Amino acid sequence: MTDKTPTYTGPERVFSGIQPTGNLHLGNYLGALKKFVDLQEAGSEGIYSVVNMHALTMPVAPRDLLDQTRQIAAAFLACGIDPDKSVIFPQSAVPEHAELAWVFNCVARMGWVERMTQFKDKAGKDAERASVGLFTYPVLMAADILLYKATHVPVGDDQKQHLELARDIAERFNRDYDVPDFFPVPEPLIQGPGARIMSLKDGTKKMSKSDPSELSRINLVDTAEDISRKIKKAKTDLLGDMPSDAEGLKGRPEVENLVGIYSALSGETVDSVLSQFGGQGFGVFKPALVDVTVAHLSPITARYREILADPAEIDRALASGVDRARAIAAPVMNDVRRIIGFWQA
Ligand code: AMP
Ligand code: TRP
């Protein structure tokens, strides 16, 4: 992590969040979870939240929200987040998130939030009926990050615009209240082949929880048979065999996606994958991709099932995370109250 903001002198700290909505898929894993674990192993201080307040922005049954919160926590643990090294906690258990979000609602400008494309995508045609929460969702996200004075935020490419808003809010707060460098201007960590995993059925659409086709995504709970079936049915094109260099991937989004998945999971560069498979048919490449995917995911899936069977263990990890998250958040929120002129006893 060399792209530290130039003037902020606080510690480097990583923050990210995942919504407890539906099954996690390979895009979530490569765009987010795997990066969390890599950062943890590199020694970064990491805070990872199950952002259940964000999940409320769309209709969700209370029982599902609670179950899915535990499921995401289980996935954090199964992927290798160690609750002794990193903090994992449910967002709603640290009420300062909501408090700082309100302050930031009054810092962010309507025009900034109106530019956010995810609202338009998620609200669909009938934006009048969307919740107000869905509109201000990126402001809450900025509060999540800045409540911990996080300097680095690992996310998939779809969160880039939200990160820009968080940076704008940090700068505007620091300037309006004349507290230069109170909040760091957080850096997105988006790069790498996993940042934008596409649907297996359409190389121009991102892999998503909400795609009606199960064949479009690989879920973290999929069996080896599911993975094999989905990869074998993945769309390719009629433009011939595998190209032997990255130039040959131009105009072939489905092939580019499959090669990107292979590269992200195996740790090999795209060039090295292509030099191995260039000139060969998909009948050779796809089974190799199945092997790499199953080898990587099956231990995670097995651990995930084990952990889910022991909800008390999950709750222990979350409860300890809440204590540690609060210990960081409370003094920051106290400083914010003082800076903005809120009465304090
Ligand atoms: P969400 O499930 O929307 O809370 O997303 C959790 C994380 O996964 C975020 O960092 C997203 O950017 C990331 N993510 C979601 N879909 C993809 C995808 N298709 N490719 C890469 N990253 C993704
Ligand atoms: N908006 C993110 C998503 O949908 C989830 C999220 C909420 C998040 N708060 C965050 C990600 C803070 C990074 C940092 O994927």
Side-chain angles (χ1 to χ4, degrees), residues 58 118-130 134:
M58 301 287 273
Q118 196 180 79
F119 174 77
K120 290 170 203 143
D121 296 343
K122 283 201 175 174
K125 284 193 257 323
D126 204 359
E128 291 292 304
R129 300 184 78 85
L134 188 66

Side-chain angles (χ1 to χ4, degrees), residues 16-19 21 24-25 27-28 30-32 51 122 137 154-159 194-198 206-209:
S16 194
I18 296 197
Q19 296 192 65
T21 48
L24 289 172
H25 53 70
N28 299 129
L30 292 174
V51 289
K122 283 201 175 174
Y137 165 123
V155 279
D157 180 75
D158 60 346
Q159 297 300 313
R196 194 167 169 78
I197 302 296
M198 310 309 280
K206 70 168 189 170
M207 187 177 284
S208 150
K209 291 169 184 170

